[in-house]
Amino acid sequence: MNIKNISIAIVAILTIAFTSCKKDETINTAEKGTFTLEFENQINGVPLVLNTQNYTNATGESFNISTFKYYVSNIKLTKTDGSIYAIPESYILMDAAKPSSLLNNLKDIPAGDYTKIAFTIGVDKERNLAGAQTGALDPALGMFWTWNSGYIFVKFEGTSPQSTATDKSLTFHIGGIVDPNNTIRTFSTDFSTGNPLRIRADKNPQVHFVVNAGSLFKGKQNISFAQLNFTMGGANSVIVADNYVNGLFEFEHIHN
Amino acid sequence: MRHLKIYLILIASMGMLYACSKTEIVKPQTEEIRFVVPTNFPDAVYKFDGNILTNNGFALGKKLFYDARLSADKSISCGSCHQQFAGFANLDHKVSHGVNNCLGKRNAPVLFNLAWQREFFWDGGAKNLEIVPINAITDVCEMGSDLNTIVTFLNNTAPYPSLFKDAFGSATVNSQNLLKALTQFTAAMVSANSKYDKVMRKETVFTTEEQQGYQLFKDKCANCHTEPLFTNLNYINNGLDLNSVDEGRKTITDLVSDKGKFRVPTLRNIELSSPYMHDGRFNTLEKVLEHYNAGVQANENLDVSLSKNSQLGIPLSNIQKQQITSFLKTLTDDEFIKNKIFSEN
């Protein structure tokens, strides 16, 4: 092998190495990908089971749950370079009675590495006022008030021996978009920079959140069912929303 | 010569414009449903954005409006409590009568000029015209049904699927298209052709008594019942009770300062839409005017316009009451009340 051939060989090897390297590191931003938002319902660390399971709140009162539904909307993802992608029409309704609703495929996301997610717990004000909706916002889904029109952001129903309501019921319908009883809250969390959400055309990463229904009743103001067991908007809903704003969602991990 | 050419062109284009306007005037007689803002009205709030008004959509909305099968016991339609001859209110009924002879708690409001309202109901609880029907559909003392039941019924009942296809391009009924169809019907109800409107357009004149009533009205009533909609769309306490049993607007805002406040109703077609007030307590206009003359109660939230100069209410002599009543009757829009486009049959 003469010098010339060696040079060609080296150049060839370098070219191949460089090209393959480039393939690994560079993201084709024109590509779009999908990811799955997974929500796992719990009550203060134990799985949420409807109807049959008894739980205890922060004030020591026993309760069970018959309904647990909540909206997540206006999902925004932040890339490592700080740019934000707002997922259009991202309105999703989770229903503990429908396990399939807890796995949500979000499509057509520009490829990239994302290190932060933010979303509204509930439905934004504009959409609350925008007239007849469909899909996840269909008022037939039972998350819409008709007397003071607007969406119920979080709906929790159950019973507690301590409840002073008829049939010992617990009715917590959280919603409202007008001050001072505005209950729109947003949640955001950072992902590990070492393991960002990697959106690629050929992958379907999974972002896993734990959702703690117990957070409605503890934190900023612990709720005793003997004192508060019914709210449909108003000041009492604000108490609950202020409780869950920091505790309802907890980022768990990403499967890339 | 050059000048002449220009004149000719001008005359020719004027002729074309004239022809154009002529066609526009002829058009409504082909019964094409159109929404036109009357010349003496402000801009509408509901503009049919995302719900284009069509003959098919309107006709479907009308059919739904008059279909009692949408209620739980198939006895009550929207039109049961909103009768055209009463300005689409409920004549002689203090409060709504729903399924199973259930009595509601408030007087059915008139339905017209809804496209100018930002909020609905006596307390403003509904905030978009499209979602207003859900309340009546689901209220246990009104139609006592639910959206899912109605959507299933419509999907399985001819000719509804084909009517929805004609109106919205899909034979699959969903709640959104159900509500949009109803809105096409209700938002297109415009009442703006009363004698009052004709006087404003200088097509006719008031009688002496009506003119005197109009002057009194402007002095004493127009603060709340503002022209041309004859409501300022606000919520006020008009001193019906010392303590309001129905908390009215407070139910929505949770504000103590809103207790006992109710929407200022429009006075258009008021002659036809008795009984009056949120609970239908007065069955004649004379009783309403007498309330303002001598019946106003010193409620903590009483509107300031009803306690001027440390006097409650609005003093009105019998002659003044008669004059105001004469004026109020000029707000009756027979053309709207009798318009077959909005009639059940």
Side-chain angles (χ1 to χ4, degrees):
Chain A
M1 203 178 261
N2 60 25
I3 297 288
K4 196 184 169 194
N5 282 350
I6 290 170
S7 305
I8 288 169
I10 288 171
V11 168
I13 289 163
L14 280 175
T15 307
I16 290 162
F18 188 69
T19 316
S20 58
C21 241
K22 203 175 172 186
K23 246 185 181 165
D24 277 350
E25 301 287 347
T26 307
I27 305 155
N28 181 355
T29 48
E31 282 181 357
K32 302 226 162 146
T34 298
F35 77 101
T36 301
L37 260 185
E38 184 190 359
F39 296 92
E40 180 188 344
N41 292 326
Q42 294 187 353
I43 294 277
N44 302 328
V46 297
L48 185 151
V49 180
L50 290 179
N51 303 314
T52 54
Q53 192 69 45
N54 286 318
Y55 304 95
T56 308
N57 69 7
T59 54
E61 297 161 332
S62 170
F63 66 98
N64 71 9
I65 306 165
S66 55
T67 301
F68 183 52
K69 296 163 81 170
Y70 48 94
Y71 274 112
V72 161
S73 71
N74 293 287
I75 303 167
K76 293 187 177 88
L77 297 170
T78 307
K79 272 188 186 169
T80 42
D81 66 3
S83 64
I84 295 173
Y85 177 69
I87 304 176
E89 286 298 307
S90 45
Y91 294 91
I92 51 184
L93 174 61
M94 265 62 68
D95 182 347
K98 294 179 188 160
S100 63
S101 73
L102 304 175
L103 280 171
N104 294 280
N105 276 312
L106 297 164
K107 298 187 174 94
D108 294 326
I109 315 292
D113 289 351
Y114 294 89
T115 54
K116 184 179 175 180
I117 188 170
F119 52 76
T120 302
I121 308 172
V123 177
D124 54 283
K125 184 175 183 175
E126 291 69 27
R127 201 52 75 96
N128 266 273
L129 300 173
Q133 305 293 308
T134 190
L137 295 175
D138 190 329
L141 293 169
M143 290 292 276
F144 193 80
W145 278 318
T146 64
W147 56 281
N148 183 6
S149 70
Y151 286 92
I152 299 168
F153 302 157
V154 176
K155 189 180 208 177
F156 177 105
E157 293 172 357
T159 59
S160 169
Q162 279 76 29
S163 170
T164 53
T166 316
D167 303 332
K168 306 283 179 197
S169 64
L170 301 176
T171 307
F172 289 88
H173 295 185
I174 313 306
I177 56 170
V178 182
D179 289 331
N181 297 325
N182 184 348
T183 52
I184 292 180
R185 300 289 182 273
T186 53
F187 173 81
S188 70
T189 188
D190 291 322
F191 304 141
S192 158
T193 48
N195 187 31
L197 173 61
R198 298 185 209 273
I199 302 291
R200 306 289 186 272
D202 55 348
K203 306 265 191 219
N204 184 359
Q206 219 171 36
V207 182
H208 185 117
F209 280 93
V210 164
V211 185
N212 180 14
S215 70
L216 274 65
F217 312 116
K218 66 173 188 180
K220 198 170 177 198
Q221 188 173 330
N222 287 350
I223 288 172
S224 156
F225 297 140
Q227 265 108 53
L228 179 59
N229 43 56
F230 179 95
T231 172
M232 288 195 186
N236 286 332
S237 281
V238 174
I239 293 171
V240 179
D242 287 341
N243 270 344
Y244 68 55
V245 62
N246 291 318
L248 189 57
F249 295 96
E250 189 189 345
F251 168 64
E252 185 71 11
H253 58 256
I254 294 176
H255 292 294
N256 269 304
Chain B
M1 188 61 199
R2 196 178 163 203
H3 280 269
L4 183 63
K5 230 184 210 170
I6 290 169
Y7 284 134
L8 280 173
I9 291 165
L10 268 175
I11 290 164
S13 30
M14 280 165 81
M16 279 162 77
L17 277 174
Y18 180 64
C20 271
S21 64
K22 229 179 164 181
T23 357
E24 293 233 345
I25 292 162
V26 171
K27 242 185 172 179
Q29 290 177 354
T30 63
E31 296 222 4
E32 188 192 339
I33 306 299
R34 295 199 303 157
F35 178 78
V36 179
V37 175
T39 50
N40 56 327
F41 274 33
D43 267 358
V45 174
Y46 190 83
K47 299 178 197 299
F48 295 91
D49 293 343
N51 188 20
I52 306 298
L53 181 62
T54 62
N55 279 17
N56 289 341
F58 177 92
L60 172 59
K62 177 164 135 180
K63 186 174 172 64
L64 292 162
F65 185 88
Y66 287 113
D67 195 337
R69 293 175 298 173
L70 304 193
S71 67
D73 64 1
K74 307 193 188 309
S75 68
I76 303 287
S77 70
C78 304
S80 303
C81 292
H82 298 283
Q83 303 162 308
Q84 185 175 17
F85 55 81
F88 288 98
N90 197 358
L91 192 69
D92 289 338
H93 288 72
K94 287 184 178 181
V95 294
S96 315
H97 287 205
V99 291
N100 304 317
N101 295 317
C102 192
L103 281 181
K105 68 170 186 172
R106 291 180 186 159
N107 185 251
V110 292
L111 303 186
F112 53 78
N113 300 344
L114 299 175
W116 283 267
Q117 282 186 217
R118 273 172 219 294
E119 294 160 338
F120 303 85
F121 308 156
W122 282 101
D123 54 21
K127 299 165 193 86
N128 187 304
L129 181 55
E130 290 180 11
I131 53 86
V132 166
I134 311 175
N135 180 277
I137 284 168
T138 60
D139 191 292
V140 289
C141 275
E142 294 189 40
M143 293 170 77
S145 187
D146 65 86
L147 285 172
N148 286 315
T149 305
I150 290 174
V151 166
T152 304
F153 166 78
L154 294 173
N155 270 314
N156 293 307
T157 307
Y160 276 116
S162 71
L163 295 179
F164 273 87
K165 187 164 198 316
D166 294 343
F168 298 108
S170 167
T172 306
V173 183
N174 61 28
S175 78
Q176 187 179 43
N177 288 344
L178 160 71
L179 294 168
K180 285 189 169 181
L182 281 166
T183 305
Q184 291 202 23
F185 180 60
T186 55
M189 291 179 176
V190 178
S191 178
N193 218 10
S194 61
K195 180 173 185 184
Y196 160 85
D197 296 292
K198 288 171 185 164
V199 171
M200 292 301 122
R201 295 196 301 256
K202 303 202 185 330
E203 293 164 18
T204 185
V205 288
F206 285 134
T207 65
T208 309
E209 188 176 67
E210 288 164 356
Q211 182 63 40
Q212 287 162 336
Y214 183 40
Q215 278 309 323
L216 285 165
F217 175 83
K218 284 200 282 192
D219 290 347
K220 297 172 185 294
C221 318
N223 185 43
C224 293
H225 297 286
T226 314
E227 298 170 72
L229 298 171
F230 287 86
T231 167
N232 59 5
L233 301 171
N234 270 336
Y235 308 87
I236 73 149
N237 184 308
N238 64 346
L240 290 173
D241 304 291
L242 271 179
N243 266 307
S244 194
V245 178
D246 184 337
E247 295 196 321
R249 181 73 175 154
K250 179 178 179 284
T251 319
I252 303 305
T253 63
D254 217 14
L255 299 171
V256 177
S257 57
D258 278 339
K259 188 180 171 199
K261 287 187 181 174
F262 295 90
R263 165 180 298 287
V264 174
T266 178
L267 298 181
R268 285 178 173 274
N269 299 308
I270 198 74
E271 179 188 7
L272 308 173
S273 56
S274 68
Y276 307 108
M277 303 296 157
H278 67 275
D279 52 6
R281 68 177 68 186
F282 300 131
N283 59 359
T284 63
L285 286 174
E286 288 66 31
K287 285 180 185 167
V288 173
L289 290 171
E290 183 52 24
H291 163 72
Y292 287 113
N293 177 47
V296 170
Q297 308 285 301
N299 193 294
E300 56 184 328
N301 291 329
L302 182 65
D303 195 72
V304 285
S305 64
L306 294 172
S307 61
K308 278 182 182 161
N309 309 319
S310 59
Q311 182 173 15
L312 289 175
I314 304 167
L316 294 166
S317 69
N318 283 343
I319 286 177
Q320 286 176 321
K321 283 193 257 181
Q322 193 183 316
Q323 289 166 335
I324 289 175
T325 305
S326 285
F327 167 68
L328 291 177
K329 289 180 178 176
T330 72
L331 296 174
T332 302
D333 180 355
D334 282 321
E335 190 183 296
F336 171 72
I337 296 300
K338 292 177 180 153
N339 193 339
K340 288 284 179 198
I341 286 173
F342 304 116
S343 303
E344 183 165 8
N345 296 306

